[in-house]
Amino acid sequence: MRIPILPAVLFNLVWVLKIIEISASTTNPVLAATSPTVQQQTIQRLIETKQCLGCDLRNADLRELDLREVNLLRANLRGANLSKADLSNANLYAADLRDTNFREANLTNASLRFSNLSNANLSGANLRSTNLTFARLNNTNFQNSNLTGADFTNAQLFNTDFTGTNLAEARGVR
């Protein structure tokens, strides 16, 4: 009588991979900043190194921080508070910025290419010469913002509020 070894080996291999995946996502702050302590360490590392590629800073409190020239490529900042933060010359390429508060933030010359800013609040923010090409800007609030020279080429604009904004020399928006 032959015992089917291959299915049993595959079953055990799947469980080993699941355990590795679970342990990696709970111990690696780049993959999941689940506890406040891990998130604070991630923020501290961001401030010190000026980069946090693909990191998880969901709902982080980053108000009024000096984040000039940071590299947040593909970072998850969903629901974060960045009000009055200085993000001038920052790289937020393909970042998840849904529901994020950028009220009165400085995003001058920042790259927000391919980022998702749906439901974000950028009221009173300075986005002078900011690159928003291919960004998703659904239900985004730009009230009273400076968008002089901003590039919206191929951006997805649905129900976006530009009330009181300065759109002088802006590209890709009418």
Side-chain angles (χ1 to χ4, degrees), residues 40-95:
Q40 283 305 113
Q41 291 170 350
T42 304
I43 293 168
Q44 190 60 39
R45 190 169 46 251
L46 168 64
I47 293 167
E48 291 169 3
T49 66
K50 295 284 191 187
Q51 62 180 345
C52 195
L53 309 179
C55 65
D56 188 344
L57 290 169
R58 283 175 291 177
N59 302 308
D61 185 359
L62 304 168
R63 285 175 291 166
E64 301 179 19
L65 288 182
D66 180 358
L67 299 172
R68 287 176 290 175
E69 300 180 3
V70 297
N71 187 356
L72 289 162
L73 175 84
R74 292 191 174 95
N76 185 349
L77 290 151
R78 185 173 189 173
N81 186 354
L82 287 145
S83 62
K84 299 185 179 179
D86 188 349
L87 290 146
S88 53
N89 299 300
N91 180 16
L92 291 152
Y93 181 95

Side-chain angles (χ1 to χ4, degrees), residues 151-169:
D151 190 354
F152 290 91
T153 304
N154 295 314
Q156 185 180 59
L157 302 163
F158 177 76
N159 202 30
T160 304
D161 190 350
F162 291 106
T163 306
T165 60
N166 182 353
L167 289 163
E169 302 173 31

Side-chain angles (χ1 to χ4, degrees), residues 8-22:
V9 170
L10 287 175
F11 179 78
N12 288 332
L13 181 60
V14 168
W15 275 106
V16 168
L17 291 173
K18 282 285 186 197
I19 292 168
I20 291 169
E21 178 183 339
I22 291 167

Side-chain angles (χ1 to χ4, degrees), residues 3-39:
I3 300 173
I5 296 174
L6 188 58
V9 170
L10 287 175
F11 179 78
N12 288 332
L13 181 60
V14 168
W15 275 106
V16 168
L17 291 173
K18 282 285 186 197
I19 292 168
I20 291 169
E21 178 183 339
I22 291 167
S23 66
S25 67
T26 57
T27 60
N28 187 343
V30 170
L31 297 176
T34 54
S35 74
T37 305
V38 170
Q39 192 172 72

Side-chain angles (χ1 to χ4, degrees), residues 60-130:
D61 185 359
L62 304 168
R63 285 175 291 166
E64 301 179 19
L65 288 182
D66 180 358
L67 299 172
R68 287 176 290 175
E69 300 180 3
V70 297
N71 187 356
L72 289 162
L73 175 84
R74 292 191 174 95
N76 185 349
L77 290 151
R78 185 173 189 173
N81 186 354
L82 287 145
S83 62
K84 299 185 179 179
D86 188 349
L87 290 146
S88 53
N89 299 300
N91 180 16
L92 291 152
Y93 181 95
D96 185 351
L97 305 169
R98 290 174 291 170
D99 306 306
T100 299
N101 181 10
F102 287 102
R103 188 180 52 79
E104 298 178 21
N106 183 4
L107 290 145
T108 304
N109 294 315
S111 175
L112 297 165
R113 294 181 70 222
F114 293 96
S115 292
N116 187 348
L117 288 131
S118 296
N119 300 306
N121 178 13
L122 290 112
S123 60
N126 186 359
L127 292 105
R128 184 178 189 89
S129 301
T130 297

